[in-house]
């Protein structure tokens, strides 16, 4: 489940994997992993698509995930990775209930990741099953540096059933994949496209000074997404940048609307100590009138700051403040339209 080039730092995931248990089943070692987190959210307003906004605060169970994993290697060329659970997907625009109504529904306890890996030779592997996309933030809160998903997340596919070929050439890692749509943020919901199939490809390389990734995701009669990622460790802080450019095929273009949009995210993760960090995410998008992002028309920016404390290797507590401002009055506060939204939240979690 580890994100290869996602800009959201996966330090919480790394801690969870490091503390994961091992089960021996039928002469095979299988890793058990997962996590539970809960939190409190306070909002000044919410996306108008959610109706009249009246409740400013609420408690939530953000994640309950249980996973099993067996790596494929030379001695056992077939492995698997499967994770069951339910999770919330709050964004800097809207609480989870609004996102589920408009974009994706993640409330059922079902497999959200489930694939078999075949590794016939060194460096080459094939994953087939339910896959996550290879760029941007992970869908599950505990794998990201922030409680809320950012603006760019709302313009990405999330997960889908398909196949992906991966090859590690040493100087670079490459992948190509194919799916037939119908996954999260692909084929259902107000802002999704009923595509018939999609292809993906990417290359990632460690250039020494920075790790760089280039990803392409092309849907039939839908979105054509081009993503450039780069991240580096400056010692005092980890810094990452993501640039997205999306074009729309004619079938997905809104009537009278634009056929392209772009966005950029800057992630800065200063390490205060071994147990304290203060990740910062700054985003800017120009949605024009394309409906690619969940922002309304024209430009939007957002700033998210999430002080995090890890008392042990597999536990964390964090607070978060996020401010989002849009060109349009896309937010609602007790019947009044607003062009901005402030979020205050808290989350505590345990990883295993």
């Amino acid at each position: 489940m580890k994100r290869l080039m996602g800009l959201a730092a996966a330090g919480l995931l790394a801690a969870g994997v490091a503390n994961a248990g091992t089960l021996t089943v039928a002469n095979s070692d299988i890793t058990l992993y997962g996590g539970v987190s809960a939190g409190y959210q306070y909002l000044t307003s919410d996306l108008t698509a959610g109706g009249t906004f009246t409740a400013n605060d609420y408690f939530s169970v953000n994640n309950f995930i249980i996973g099993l994993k067996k790596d494929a290697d030379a001695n056992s060329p077939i492995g698997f990775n499967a994770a069951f659970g339910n999770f919330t997907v709050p964004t800097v625009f809207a609480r989870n209930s609004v996102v589920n109504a408009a974009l994706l529904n993640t409330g059922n306890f079902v497999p959200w990741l489930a694939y078999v890996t075949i590794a016939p030779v060194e460096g080459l592997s094939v994953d087939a099953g339910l896959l996550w996309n290879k760029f941007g933030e992970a869908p599950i809160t505990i794998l990201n540096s922030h409680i809320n998903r950012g603006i760019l997340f709302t313009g990405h596919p999330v997960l889908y059933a398909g196949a992906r070929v991966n090859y590690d050439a040493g100087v670079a890692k490459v992948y190509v994949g194919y799916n037939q749509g119908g996954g999260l943020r692909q084929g259902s919901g107000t802002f999704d496209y009923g595509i018939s199939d999609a292809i993906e490809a990417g290359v990632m390389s460690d250039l020494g000074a920075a790790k760089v990734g280039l990803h392409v995701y092309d849907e039939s009669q839908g979105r054509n997404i081009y993503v450039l990622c780069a991240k580096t460790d400056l010692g005092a802080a980890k810094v990452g940048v993501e640039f997205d450019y999306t074009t729309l095929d004619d079938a997905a273009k809104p009537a009278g609307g634009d056929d392209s949009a772009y966005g950029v995210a800057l992630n800065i993760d200063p390490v205060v100590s071994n147990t304290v960090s203060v990740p910062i995410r700054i985003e800017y998008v120009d949605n024009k009138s394309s409906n690619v992002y969940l922002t309304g028309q024209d430009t939007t920016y957002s700033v998210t700051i999430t002080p995090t404390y890890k008392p042990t290797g597999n536990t964390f507590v964090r607070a978060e403040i996020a401010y989002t401002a849009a060109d349009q009055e896309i937010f609602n506060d007790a019947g009044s339209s607003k062009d901005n939204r402030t979020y205050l939240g808290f989350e505590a979690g345990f990883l295993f």
Side-chain angles (χ1 to χ4, degrees):
M1 296 172 70
K2 187 175 180 181
R3 311 297 287 172
L4 293 176
M5 289 300 297
L7 292 179
L12 298 177
L13 172 64
V17 173
N19 289 276
T22 299
L23 307 174
T24 300
V25 180
N27 299 317
S28 296
D29 288 332
I30 296 175
T31 300
L32 171 69
Y33 65 89
V36 180
S37 73
Y40 168 80
Q41 341 281 326
Y42 172 83
L43 322 169
T44 60
S45 58
D46 218 4
L47 197 68
T48 302
T52 300
F53 176 74
T54 56
N56 289 92
D57 66 330
Y58 64 100
F59 292 92
S60 62
V61 176
N62 295 345
N63 300 271
F64 177 47
I65 307 295
I66 299 175
L68 295 171
K69 181 179 181 180
K70 169 64 175 70
D71 290 330
D73 53 42
N75 296 322
S76 179
I78 299 179
F80 75 94
N81 193 358
F84 294 78
N86 55 34
F87 56 97
T88 63
V89 191
T91 72
V92 294
F93 284 97
R95 67 176 68 197
N96 178 69
S97 59
V98 177
V99 175
N100 274 343
L103 285 179
L104 33 99
N105 190 348
T106 62
N108 297 323
F109 192 85
V110 297
W112 292 108
L113 180 73
Y115 62 86
V116 174
T117 299
I118 302 174
V121 297
E122 180 95 17
L124 177 66
S125 64
V126 180
D127 300 327
L130 188 60
L131 308 171
W132 289 3
N133 83 341
K134 290 280 244 179
F135 49 85
E137 291 181 288
I140 295 175
T141 297
I142 55 178
L143 302 189
N144 296 316
S145 295
H146 306 281
I147 300 172
N148 283 284
R149 280 10 140 255
I151 306 173
L152 269 58
F153 176 87
T154 68
H156 296 165
V158 178
L159 58 89
Y160 36 79
R164 180 182 293 147
V165 179
N166 311 279
Y167 181 65
D168 187 345
V171 295
K173 297 178 181 179
V174 298
Y175 71 90
V176 294
Y178 171 77
N179 70 80
Q180 294 181 328
L184 290 187
R185 192 60 175 108
Q186 279 192 309
S188 62
T190 304
F191 293 93
D192 284 305
Y193 315 108
I195 65 171
S196 59
D197 55 16
I199 58 173
E200 59 177 344
V203 57
M204 296 154 288
S205 181
D206 187 344
L207 303 180
K211 295 180 179 179
V212 178
L214 178 62
H215 307 267
V216 178
Y217 190 88
D218 190 332
E219 297 173 337
S220 173
Q221 301 301 301
R223 297 167 294 183
N224 312 293
I225 305 173
Y226 308 92
V227 179
L228 175 63
C229 301
K231 62 181 180 180
T232 186
D233 189 343
L234 301 178
K238 297 177 181 178
V239 179
V241 63
E242 175 183 339
F243 180 79
D244 290 8
Y245 178 70
T246 302
T247 63
L248 299 175
D249 294 333
D250 288 343
K253 177 183 175 181
D258 291 300
D259 61 0
S260 67
Y262 71 87
V264 61
L266 173 66
N267 287 263
I268 305 172
D269 191 359
V271 178
V272 179
S273 69
N274 291 334
T275 58
V276 177
S277 62
V278 188
I280 301 167
R281 178 183 61 210
I282 303 170
E283 292 182 289
Y284 174 86
V285 303
D286 188 349
N287 205 29
K288 304 178 183 178
S289 57
S290 66
N291 282 344
V292 168
Y293 302 106
L294 190 65
T295 62
Q297 296 184 14
D298 303 323
T299 63
T300 307
Y301 74 87
S302 180
V303 178
T304 306
I305 304 174
T306 313
T308 301
Y309 171 57
K310 300 177 185 177
T312 67
N314 63 336
T315 60
F316 70 90
V317 291
R318 58 188 177 185
E320 182 162 296
I321 179 169
Y323 177 77
T324 304
D327 274 351
Q328 286 190 310
E329 293 183 342
I330 62 174
F331 302 110
N332 180 279
D333 179 13
S336 300
S337 296
K338 298 181 65 176
D339 63 359
N340 63 84
R341 178 183 191 258
T342 300
Y343 166 95
L344 299 172
F346 172 84
E347 184 182 38
F350 180 90
L351 307 174
F352 57 87

